[in-house]
Amino acid sequence: MNTETAPVKPGFIYSRPKKVIRLHWFNAICWLVLTLSGLGIIRGSLRFMPVGYAEWLQNTVGGQFNLIVGHSLLGLLWAGVFALFVLFNWTSVVWPFLKKVLSITPMSVLRDMYEMVVDIAKLFGLLKSVKLAPPGRYNGAQRLLGTMIIGSSMAIALTGTLMFVLFLLTPMTVDGAVFRWSLVAHAFFVGLVYIGLVAHIYYALIEEPESLQSMTDGYLEEGYVKRHCPAWYDELKKEGRV
Amino acid sequence: MPKKYVMLVDTERCVNCKACEVSCRAEWNTPLGYSRNWVSEVMAVDPNGMPTLSLLSGRCMHCDSPPCVAACPTGASYKRDDGIVLVDRDLCTGCEFCIDPCPYNARFRDPTDGMISKCTFCQPRIDAGEEPACVHVCFTRALMFGDANDPSSEVARRLAEGTWQRLVTTEVDVGPNLYYSKGTQFDATVLPQKKSPTVAAQTLAVVNPGLKIGLGGMLGLFGAAGVLKLVKRKEEVASHEH
């Protein structure tokens, strides 16, 4: 991260640049609107929400066609902004982030799952004596969540784009199974992200409000970093950034 | 009282001339090898041991509880207030979720445009005050069409005679609105069949409640953690005050 250009704030560590913060909140707003509109699109026995919600939303926006097109265009904007961000910030932000957050080997997944279970148990006063390896920038649960969200988001963008293309263009020779399975995958991955978001929002609001604060100004309290991310703190110390 | 369009098929009058099929294909330009209506031949043996041949003109039954409408994820399949089941071509994606739930095999995917095709009771003709094309050309008057809720209509008078039966079984009765002459022999080839939904629909039927359970579980887990934290915080405050 670009610590050199950030203004120094005594007792705080500059943890993320403004563009990452803006991207995070853009993502959050898009997710909220896309979820609300998406839940209004799915009709029939496959729906997730009461019929009344879909009817109200469709009437509000002037019909199902408008709702589908609006949802899809916002989805494309969301995916497009992320694609551009990745393209223009690959070496400075994206790749360093991915190196820290991705958990893809079976061993790392198992280790992170173990850490996640212990962390959740500790919320209830259980497994207090279990010692975990000092976490770096991200702990096991955060790595799993991050990996799941990155993978799911790519699947959501891909299946959403595919369904929009099939919806707009006459399906013609494309087998109906392509749309059917895209819809299944789209719904599955969106649900999966929401299951993870419960934990993400809980920790941000209740357990670690300091991290929420850093998602507004980019700074984390030095004491918080020392307590919650000791390995990262040591790393920063070695680099002379604290 | 709202209209309720029904069709009566007097099987004793049908001579299997196929004029209904030809007129339908001409009206809707259905591709070769596909038809929105058909005439089924059912051979049976009467109580006297004599062979019988029943001719059943079939098409979409415009059911009171259409399973195709319930299965459509975009709301493209819908039922009008007058009972006609239609497919909105602007919303149809050709996903075929609706094809298997139809117990009468009345739907198919038109290979020329990828859309779902089915009998519409010739809705544009009806809206213009005309009869469906098949009824119009049926020279033996085996087909009758009209508003069952209008006591002055021919179909209402004929239905009141009670000499009609619907193509239903004890397992499958979705309220079809095609009536056949009483005493017509049915066999397994024409009786409605409950078919397994597509694998994608079955998967979604598991994914949907699975995600709800997962999300509910996470909300419960972290909700409990939040309550626990609140209780602990209150105890801490109380102990500080003492």
Side-chain angles (χ1 to χ4, degrees), chain B residues 4-66:
Chain B
K4 182 179 171 66
Y5 286 121
V6 300
M7 189 176 281
L8 308 187
V9 183
D10 189 338
T11 51
E12 289 179 12
R13 284 174 170 263
C14 181
V15 293
N16 204 3
C17 68
K18 312 276 191 204
C20 50
E21 286 186 32
V22 174
S23 63
C24 179
R25 290 194 58 196
E27 184 77 20
W28 293 98
N29 197 25
T30 41
L32 207 60
Y34 295 86
S35 184
R36 291 180 173 201
N37 60 2
W38 57 87
V39 178
S40 303
E41 300 177 11
V42 175
M43 283 185 274
V45 178
D46 73 9
N48 301 321
M50 297 298 287
T52 63
L53 176 67
S54 299
L55 300 167
L56 280 76
S57 177
R59 59 191 50 66
C60 169
M61 303 274 173
H62 298 273
C63 306
D64 290 335
S65 307

Side-chain angles (χ1 to χ4, degrees), chain A residues 41-48 64 123-124 167 170-172 174 176 179-181 184 187 194-195 199 202 206-207, chain B residues 70 72-75 90-91 93-96 109 112-113 200 203-204 208 211-212 215 218 221-222 225-226 228-229:
Chain A
I41 289 173
I42 301 182
R43 300 295 300 263
S45 54
L46 305 175
R47 70 181 185 274
F48 289 78
Q64 171 77 320
L123 291 177
F124 295 92
F167 173 74
T170 313
M172 300 287 267
V174 180
F179 188 94
R180 285 200 299 279
W181 283 106
V184 173
Y194 267 94
I195 287 173
Y202 172 80
I206 312 289
E207 292 291 333
Chain B
C72 178
T74 64
D90 283 342
L91 297 178
T93 60
C95 69
E96 302 174 50
R109 190 168 188 243
T112 60
D113 63 9
T203 309
L204 210 50
N208 189 332
L211 291 175
K212 283 177 180 166
L215 198 56
M218 287 294 277
L221 183 71
F222 286 97
L228 202 64
K229 192 171 175 74

Side-chain angles (χ1 to χ4, degrees), chain A residues 2-241:
Chain A
N2 211 354
T3 47
E4 290 77 15
T5 55
V8 176
K9 201 173 163 187
F12 286 84
I13 293 169
Y14 186 64
S15 63
R16 46 178 63 95
K18 286 274 185 235
K19 59 187 169 188
V20 170
I21 295 170
R22 282 194 290 268
L23 187 72
H24 173 271
W25 292 113
F26 166 78
N27 186 33
I29 292 165
C30 283
W31 263 88
L32 184 66
V33 179
L34 285 168
T35 306
L36 292 175
S37 55
L39 289 172
I41 289 173
I42 301 182
R43 300 295 300 263
S45 54
L46 305 175
R47 70 181 185 274
F48 289 78
M49 294 285 276
V51 182
Y53 173 75
E55 283 173 357
W56 168 78
L57 193 61
Q58 287 170 23
N59 290 336
T60 305
V61 299
Q64 171 77 320
F65 185 85
N66 290 350
L67 186 59
I68 293 175
V69 171
H71 174 86
S72 306
L73 290 178
L74 181 59
L76 286 175
L77 175 73
W78 167 75
V81 166
F82 264 90
L84 289 175
F85 186 89
V86 169
L87 198 65
F88 289 109
N89 298 280
W90 177 255
T91 46
S92 62
V93 178
V94 180
W95 180 237
F97 168 72
L98 290 179
K99 277 199 291 190
K100 283 194 173 85
V101 85
L102 282 184
S103 182
I104 38 180
T105 64
M107 280 313 291
S108 71
V109 169
L110 282 175
R111 190 186 59 233
D112 289 345
M113 281 179 83
Y114 173 72
E115 283 186 18
M116 180 179 74
V117 170
V118 172
D119 277 342
I120 292 174
K122 282 182 178 175
L123 291 177
F124 295 92
L126 306 168
L127 303 179
K128 275 184 167 175
S129 57
V130 176
K131 293 270 180 257
L132 298 173
R137 174 73 193 259
Y138 302 108
N139 63 30
Q142 285 173 312
R143 277 195 299 271
L144 282 180
L145 181 71
T147 306
M148 185 267 281
I149 288 180
I150 291 166
S152 297
S153 297
M154 281 160 54
I156 289 164
L158 182 73
T159 53
T161 306
L162 202 56
M163 285 194 288
F164 187 46
V165 169
L166 290 176
F167 173 74
L168 274 191
L169 307 175
T170 313
M172 300 287 267
T173 53
V174 180
D175 195 284
V178 177
F179 188 94
R180 285 200 299 279
W181 283 106
S182 294
L183 181 63
V184 173
H186 202 73
F188 174 76
F189 285 113
V190 170
L192 205 59
V193 169
Y194 267 94
I195 287 173
L197 277 185
V198 174
H200 178 69
I201 293 169
Y202 172 80
Y203 275 96
L205 291 179
I206 312 289
E207 292 291 333
E208 296 166 9
E210 299 89 342
S211 64
L212 180 62
Q213 176 61 33
S214 83
M215 205 39 99
T216 58
D217 61 10
Y219 289 92
L220 274 171
E221 273 179 45
E222 203 175 317
Y224 168 86
V225 176
K226 212 172 175 178
R227 278 195 313 278
H228 288 268
C229 319
W232 182 41
Y233 186 77
D234 290 345
E235 212 177 288
L236 293 173
K237 240 165 65 176
K238 271 185 208 158
E239 290 170 10
R241 288 163 63 184

Side-chain angles (χ1 to χ4, degrees), chain B:
Chain B
M1 189 181 280
K3 287 181 176 176
K4 182 179 171 66
Y5 286 121
V6 300
M7 189 176 281
L8 308 187
V9 183
D10 189 338
T11 51
E12 289 179 12
R13 284 174 170 263
C14 181
V15 293
N16 204 3
C17 68
K18 312 276 191 204
C20 50
E21 286 186 32
V22 174
S23 63
C24 179
R25 290 194 58 196
E27 184 77 20
W28 293 98
N29 197 25
T30 41
L32 207 60
Y34 295 86
S35 184
R36 291 180 173 201
N37 60 2
W38 57 87
V39 178
S40 303
E41 300 177 11
V42 175
M43 283 185 274
V45 178
D46 73 9
N48 301 321
M50 297 298 287
T52 63
L53 176 67
S54 299
L55 300 167
L56 280 76
S57 177
R59 59 191 50 66
C60 169
M61 303 274 173
H62 298 273
C63 306
D64 290 335
S65 307
C68 53
V69 171
C72 178
T74 64
S77 287
Y78 67 103
K79 189 170 174 66
R80 291 205 319 192
D81 291 341
D82 57 15
I84 300 178
V85 175
L86 296 173
V87 177
D88 184 338
R89 292 174 63 82
D90 283 342
L91 297 178
C92 181
T93 60
C95 69
E96 302 174 50
F97 267 123
C98 60
I99 287 182
D100 283 333
C102 175
Y104 300 100
N105 298 314
R107 290 176 166 239
F108 62 91
R109 190 168 188 243
D110 189 330
T112 60
D113 63 9
M115 303 279 178
I116 299 303
S117 182
K118 65 176 274 297
C119 163
T120 62
F121 271 166
C122 285
Q123 158 258 326
R125 290 174 62 97
I126 294 166
D127 292 346
E130 297 171 33
E131 290 177 315
C134 56
V135 176
H136 185 69
V137 300
C138 184
F139 70 94
T140 63
R141 299 280 292 142
L143 299 177
M144 281 160 282
F145 176 83
D147 176 12
N149 284 344
D150 175 5
S152 64
S153 71
E154 186 186 358
V155 291
R157 284 200 304 274
R158 297 290 301 273
L159 277 174
E161 292 167 4
T163 54
W164 304 92
Q165 60 181 336
R166 294 181 308 155
L167 207 48
V168 295
T169 63
T170 45
E171 290 83 29
V172 187
D173 183 357
V174 286
N177 284 302
L178 247 71
Y179 291 80
Y180 294 90
S181 312
K182 211 163 197 170
T184 306
Q185 298 282 333
F186 298 146
D187 71 2
T189 60
V190 294
L191 283 169
Q193 290 159 356
K194 201 167 193 174
K195 288 170 286 176
S196 300
T198 58
V199 183
Q202 288 180 45
T203 309
L204 210 50
V206 174
V207 165
N208 189 332
L211 291 175
K212 283 177 180 166
I213 291 168
L215 198 56
M218 287 294 277
L219 286 169
L221 183 71
F222 286 97
V227 170
L228 202 64
K229 192 171 175 74
L230 192 70
V231 171
K232 275 185 188 165
R233 179 81 188 127
K234 273 188 175 173
E235 284 171 0
E236 276 172 21
V237 171
S239 67
H240 276 299
E241 283 172 355
H242 287 294

